[in-house]
Amino acid sequence: MCVTAHPDDECFGFGGALALAADRGIETYVLCLTDGQAGTYRGDAKSGAELGALRRKEFAGSCQVLGVTHYELLDYEDGRTEFVDFSRAAGRLVERMRRFKPDVVITFGGEGGPNTHNDHMMVSALTTAAFHWAGREKRYPDLATPFQPKRLYHITTNFFIPGRQAPLPAPWTVKLDIRSVQERKAEAFRQHPSQGPLMEVTRELFEKYGGEELYTLVAAEGIQAARLTDDLFEGLVG
Ligand SMILES: [Zn+2]
C-alpha cells in the first residue's frame, strides 16, 4: 500500500516499487489524498475543479500503466492538508489499512521529498500514525477489525533539486534497482500530460538518478539494527 498526496506522486516517487511489485504478482493499492487542484502546472484547465478532474483521469491512467491493483483518490484540498483534522484523516487511512491488509506500507519521509512539499510531509505524518494505529484495538474501535501491517518504509533521496534549499532526508536502508521497470515508470509519468513541464525540468535528474529508488525502513516487527537491503518485501515474498 502506497499513500501519496498528489496525482503523479505515485509514478514520480514510487513508480519503480509499484511496478516491481506488480511484476511479482503482489497486490498493490495507491491511496492519494488530493486531486492536485493547486498544481503549478495546469495544462489547459481553466479552473481548479477542471484541473482536479483532469488529474483524476491522469492518475487512473498512470496507476494502470504501473499495474496497480486498487487505486483511490480522496478529496482533501491540495496544498492545505496541514490544516486537516489529523485524527479524522488518519482514521480514513486506518480504515483502509484494516480492510486492504497490506504487509508493506510506503509513503513520503518527514522532509517531504526533494521538493519538501507540505502535503508530502503531512502524508508522511498521517500514514506513519495510521500504520501504528491500524493494529491497535483501542484506536478507532468502530472502524473495521484491527490489522497491523508488517513494515513501513519512507521514500528518501540521494539527490537534491539544484537551486533550492536542500531538505534533510533520512539515510536509506533499501536501494531498489528499478532499471527493469524504468521505462514503465516514465510511461506512467507520460499519463500526466498536464504535468509535462515538470518532466522537462527534472529530465536531467532522472537520467542521472532514475535507475534506483531509495527507501528507509522506519517500522518493522521485532528488534533489529538497520542494514542495507535491495528488496521491500525481503522475507515476505519469494
Ligand atoms: Zn506531490
Side-chain angles (χ1 to χ4, degrees), residues 19-175:
L20 284 174
D23 282 354
R24 294 164 80 181
I26 297 167
E27 258 186 282
T28 52
Y29 183 171
V30 175
L31 180 59
C32 180
L33 262 55
T34 83
D35 64 5
Q37 291 199 17
T40 306
Y41 304 112
R42 310 188 64 83
D44 296 327
K46 290 173 193 67
S47 66
E50 218 173 279
L51 180 61
L54 177 65
R55 296 194 70 184
R56 279 177 184 271
K57 285 199 193 106
E58 294 177 347
F59 172 69
S62 165
C63 285
Q64 283 159 20
V65 167
L66 294 169
V68 173
T69 335
H70 311 273
Y71 44 89
E72 181 183 8
L73 232 150
L74 297 181
D75 48 8
Y76 289 104
E77 195 183 339
D78 182 9
R80 307 261 317 156
T81 55
E82 67 183 288
F83 303 108
V84 303
D85 178 329
F86 190 95
S87 181
R88 202 181 117 59
R92 294 177 81 182
L93 304 189
V94 165
E95 184 177 17
R96 282 154 180 85
M97 287 180 195
R98 288 178 176 174
R99 293 194 192 287
F100 184 64
K101 299 182 171 55
D103 287 321
V104 170
V105 176
I106 59 178
T107 191
F108 283 103
E111 86 292 348
N115 68 353
T116 66
H117 198 301
N118 282 356
D119 288 338
H120 298 168
M121 294 179 174
M122 280 308 297
V123 168
S124 181
L126 287 164
T127 306
T128 300
F131 172 90
H132 293 287
W133 286 342
R136 303 237 155 235
E137 284 172 15
K138 289 185 179 162
R139 299 298 315 199
Y140 308 96
D142 301 331
L143 293 181
T145 311
F147 171 82
Q148 182 59 64
K150 292 191 173 71
R151 285 180 201 160
L152 173 66
Y153 295 98
H154 288 171
I155 194 165
T156 186
T157 186
N158 59 348
F159 64 84
F160 296 128
I161 301 175
R164 290 217 204 168
Q165 186 174 353
L168 280 68
W172 56 89
T173 64
V174 181
K175 189 182 267 199

Side-chain angles (χ1 to χ4, degrees), residues 17 104 106 151 153 174 176 215 229-234 236:
V104 170
I106 59 178
R151 285 180 201 160
Y153 295 98
V174 181
L176 274 190
Y215 293 86
T229 72
D230 58 4
D231 183 8
L232 298 171
F233 296 93
E234 189 181 52
L236 297 174

